[in-house]
Amino acid sequence: MATPAENNKVELENSDSDTSFLSDVEEVDHMKILSSSGADGLQFVDSYFQREASSLLTDNSDLYSNTGDDSSLNTSLLPWERLADWIHCFCVVTFDLEIGQMIEEIYPSHVTLSEQDKTSICYLAFPDSNSGCMGDTQFHFRIRQGSANVDGNNGSSQVDLSNPIPKAHLRYNQLCPPAFRTDSSYWWGFAYFRQVKDKNLRRGYFQKSLVIVTRLPFVELFQELMAVIAPEFFDKGSICLEISAKEIDQWPRPVPGIVLNLPLLGTLFQVRIPSFSAAASPSFSTSLAASPSKSSTNSLLRRRCLIATDVDLYSALAPLLPHLQMLWELLLCGEPLVVMATSPSICSHVVQALVNLIHPLQYCLDYRPFFTIHDSEFKEYTGRPSDPPPSVLLGVTNPFFAKALQHWPHIIRIGGEILSSSAGLKIRASKSNASSSSKMSECKPGVYTSYKPHLTRDKALLKLIAKGAQTRRPNQVQSALMRRHFLELTQSFIIPLERYFARLMPLQKSISPYKAVPGLSAFKAEEVLASVEHCGPQLTTGVKGDWTGLYRRFLRTPNFESWSQQRHQEANNKLRALQMDALSQSDITSWLQGKREVEVVDMVLRLREKLNVTLAEETLPVSPQTRLHLQGQLDTVLQSLPEDLRSVLKAS
């Protein structure tokens, strides 16, 4: 049973060495690690994309200018518009003796959810009946959004058109790393469940859960919000939801890269959302010092400082520490993996921490921090023992899954509560090559797999964390060390792919202002594998092993496909922007000489199209100066046409 998360949070008053250390680690989290050699900086983000992401934020300061109270902007907003930027709704789920779990209230009341979504939220808002969670339990889940027009038994993933994506989320997705983008196909649910004995009730127990439904993957933030809202709700009732919703409706929009002041029920949350741009993401502690509250009222509030997407890696993964590098390989390669725990708070925490291990890569397979037998995808994901397991990551608590998923190749069993720092290191995760039935007959905590890692185990992290446990280093610092270790490992893994991809870009001199944009060369896996042998991650990490074999597996996964698609999109946008820049700087007057009228009209249409594209596609790294120059070129071309034709083109 989990209790509200209040133990390991960074208070503003803390300015000790651990907090200073965390500010350094945050630079790592935002993709600014540089290798100690200094020759080939470990820089994951494309320099051009990083720069243009910064300009995106700068150029739209009128939209996202206020990090604190921007209530002055709310006069032009619809009711609950700013609330929808953060959460979709609150759901109150209770237990009825005749019906079972049911939604008692949705706030705001105008919010819609499909019947499939309501059913999923009802079942996932409570721990499984066998979990025996007494008192207060916090956990989170992720469900596939159902269509409003599909049958409740249909597992369709069609997006519910009655719940359009907020415009602020589209903007948010342009500025944040891929791993933290919203997905219109999924809802996140952050639950606070209370179960206490009550002799006045027929069942003898009070059972109720409060759930925040949202599209934003802000695990740390929403868990903190629930730890504040839910106790007040259980004490004072629905009036607490109304007050909370009105306060959230005054918040600024979720903007990556700046510190946001978010007051709620007497607590001021000072939150930073990770962004692409290092220039827009200064050190967290520095930002807080430079961003005092703008109202005297805020100065009286209790403050909590956090990064919205953070996960406490250490408390979740300490029992698995000797096997984390192997698990990193499994996640990288998209292997089927299930986490079996005794409560939803544990399994959801562990699953979320595992997904974060491969950051800044996006884990592109489906994952469910808490999964039950009532999920619409239950049959799809469990299947028959003869069927190959799907490539998903599940967190479960019902003992039924021990039998239903016994054919899965990789199983993590967590026993009891998430252990303290010292006790967690004493757990030995076990491996077994025995048959599935005998493997699952054991109830000992451990990692059950026959997978043979490609890489040799790096003992440096084990020693570092063990030393921290002996010296009682705070959990948040232990987590920061783990996060930095695996971030460096993942970035080292990506560097050879980045270098090879850079070779696919055409030379800038091949970009002509009057010809089609050149394309990238074809990606050839064998060329990548050949380069790994000579300049692979073994040169920067010190980790030995079969790196080529690991790359060979990775290149066949959705994780690689997603990375490749993102890189191709960014590269093509860059090439289009370079071609527009070349066109804006070209000698259009010389080009016009000797051109037929039809060619000149075609150029007018091309210039108009490019200007429209620069306005419609904000991800294009085109500067305002280039837009002005393109407009000037268009005016010059129009002036070269006869007046009657010029009038027709201007009117069209």
Side-chain angles (χ1 to χ4, degrees), residues 288-330:
L288 291 176
S291 303
S293 302
K294 294 190 175 182
S295 68
S296 57
T297 304
N298 283 350
S299 64
L300 302 177
L301 302 180
R302 182 179 61 170
R303 299 189 185 186
R304 290 191 180 276
C305 311
L306 49 94
I307 298 177
T309 56
D310 260 6
V311 178
D312 185 354
L313 297 183
Y314 179 63
S315 64
L317 302 178
L320 304 170
L321 193 61
H323 306 280
L324 286 186
Q325 188 168 293
M326 179 192 68
L327 294 173
W328 175 81
E329 289 188 28
L330 294 177

Side-chain angles (χ1 to χ4, degrees), residues 153-185:
N153 295 324
N154 188 346
S156 171
S157 59
Q158 180 182 355
V159 176
D160 184 355
L161 298 180
S162 64
N163 290 315
I165 305 299
K167 293 181 179 179
H169 288 190
L170 301 176
R171 189 69 184 153
Y172 162 85
N173 281 349
Q174 294 174 6
L175 298 173
C176 74
F180 301 131
R181 288 175 182 164
T182 63
D183 188 336
S184 60
S185 301

Side-chain angles (χ1 to χ4, degrees), residues 238-468:
S238 297
I239 187 65
C240 175
L241 302 184
E242 181 180 352
I243 295 172
S244 299
K246 288 182 177 179
E247 287 199 64
I248 296 173
D249 199 43
Q250 301 298 315
W251 286 1
R253 292 182 173 93
V255 189
I258 59 177
V259 176
L260 303 170
N261 293 324
L262 312 177
L264 181 70
L265 301 181
T267 299
L268 178 63
F269 294 93
Q270 295 192 301
V271 179
R272 190 178 70 180
I273 304 169
S275 74
F276 263 124
S277 173
S281 301
S283 170
F284 191 38
S285 58
T286 303
S287 300
L288 291 176
S291 303
S293 302
K294 294 190 175 182
S295 68
S296 57
T297 304
N298 283 350
S299 64
L300 302 177
L301 302 180
R302 182 179 61 170
R303 299 189 185 186
R304 290 191 180 276
C305 311
L306 49 94
I307 298 177
T309 56
D310 260 6
V311 178
D312 185 354
L313 297 183
Y314 179 63
S315 64
L317 302 178
L320 304 170
L321 193 61
H323 306 280
L324 286 186
Q325 188 168 293
M326 179 192 68
L327 294 173
W328 175 81
E329 289 188 28
L330 294 177
L331 293 162
L332 205 63
C333 297
E335 286 288 312
L337 184 62
V338 59
V339 176
M340 297 184 176
T342 56
S343 77
S345 60
I346 296 176
C347 71
S348 63
H349 192 182
V350 172
V351 167
Q352 200 66 47
L354 288 172
V355 169
N356 280 25
L357 280 186
I358 65 170
H359 179 77
L361 272 179
Q362 181 180 11
Y363 184 77
C364 295
L365 294 93
D366 193 10
Y367 65 98
R368 306 298 177 89
F370 179 44
F371 189 78
T372 74
I373 59 175
H374 302 287
D375 273 272
S376 56
E377 291 82 25
F378 172 74
K379 291 183 179 179
E380 174 187 348
Y381 286 167
T382 53
R384 296 175 298 182
S386 58
D387 297 332
S391 296
V392 295
L393 171 58
L394 303 180
V396 302
T397 61
N398 196 319
F400 172 80
F401 284 103
K403 181 178 180 180
L405 303 181
Q406 64 180 358
H407 61 291
W408 278 42
H410 318 293
I411 299 172
I412 300 174
R413 185 183 288 276
I414 306 289
E417 295 294 327
I418 292 183
L419 302 175
S420 65
S421 57
S422 58
L425 292 170
K426 296 178 182 178
I427 285 190
R428 293 184 177 180
S430 59
K431 298 180 180 180
S432 173
N433 294 322
S435 64
S436 296
S437 59
S438 61
K439 173 173 64 176
M440 292 313 301
S441 66
E442 299 184 46
C443 294
K444 295 180 181 180
V447 178
Y448 295 85
T449 179
S450 57
Y451 177 80
K452 294 182 179 180
H454 290 272
L455 309 179
T456 58
R457 183 184 299 176
D458 184 2
K459 297 181 180 179
L461 178 65
L462 297 177
K463 294 177 180 178
L464 184 63
I465 299 300
K467 182 179 179 181

Side-chain angles (χ1 to χ4, degrees), residues 37 43 70 147 149 157 160 220 328 392 396 402 422 555 557 618:
S37 63
Q43 190 125 9
D70 59 351
S147 170
N149 299 319
S157 59
D160 184 355
E220 176 83 349
W328 175 81
V392 295
V396 302
S422 58
L555 294 178
T557 67
E618 294 182 342

